[in-house]
Amino acid sequence: PFTVRGNAVVSWVQPTGGSVLGGSRVVVRGSGFAASPLFFCRFGNVVVPPEIVIDATKAVCAAPAHAAGVVSVEVTNNNADYSSDGAQFEYHAVPRVLGISPKSGPVSGGTVVSVVGESLGDETSSVWCRFGEESEAVMGVRTAGGSLACPTPAHVAGFAVLQVSLN
């Protein structure tokens, strides 16, 4: 039998950006979502299955890899007719840390580390800094000249790799 469904509508997505490498878990909000095997998300022209359709207003999809730039995020209930609402997701180049200062601090944290790098986003991007795999991400602050200021969290003594993310 043929099933008639209402049109799915995308109102917004969160986060609104992620890495060109893909993998960001994107919450898609809207209406008319159907939890069926024919529900898909589309980032630009790349179609991906949802991780989960939570209810008629919320789904979670992993952003696929894509070139840097802005794409529309749309959904379908029948793997054929997509929404056309234009919620946008921006793909960012992978941030690259070129230098930090100072290079050490106390285990109690609180040292503000100046970070110089490439593809650190623009003034509208949220920037997160993580000192080592096990630490919590902390929000970085943009400073003059395009560098970042990242406060160190408390950390066990030893070496910690600094990672910067835009989502």
Side-chain angles (χ1 to χ4, degrees):
F2 186 79
T3 303
V4 177
R5 299 185 195 273
N7 292 335
V9 173
V10 176
S11 301
W12 53 275
V13 298
Q14 182 65 35
T16 57
S19 168
V20 295
L21 301 176
S24 296
R25 295 185 76 226
V26 179
V27 176
V28 182
R29 298 299 299 254
S31 62
F33 297 0
S36 83
L38 298 177
F39 182 94
F40 288 91
C41 296
R42 184 174 69 191
F43 290 75
N45 293 323
V46 182
V47 174
V48 295
E51 287 185 7
I52 187 170
V53 177
I54 296 169
D55 59 31
T57 66
K58 187 176 181 182
V60 178
C61 296
H66 196 281
V70 177
V71 299
S72 290
V73 178
E74 306 297 349
V75 298
T76 179
N77 284 324
N78 65 0
N79 197 21
D81 301 308
Y82 281 84
S83 58
S84 58
D85 303 301
Q88 298 193 330
F89 184 85
E90 183 173 7
Y91 282 93
H92 304 284
V94 177
R96 184 169 167 224
V97 175
L98 299 176
I100 62 171
S101 179
K103 294 182 184 272
S104 66
V107 295
S108 60
T111 302
V112 177
V113 176
S114 177
V115 180
V116 176
E118 297 175 339
S119 302
L120 299 177
D122 59 29
E123 50 281 339
T124 64
S125 306
S126 294
V127 180
W128 296 92
C129 306
R130 181 182 305 271
F131 292 85
E133 292 292 326
E134 301 300 320
S135 75
E136 292 287 325
V138 293
M139 183 172 271
V141 176
R142 296 192 188 289
T143 60
S147 63
L148 302 174
C150 296
T152 61
H155 196 281
V156 297
F159 181 75
V161 174
L162 171 61
Q163 299 171 327
V164 175
S165 172
L166 298 177
N167 68 340

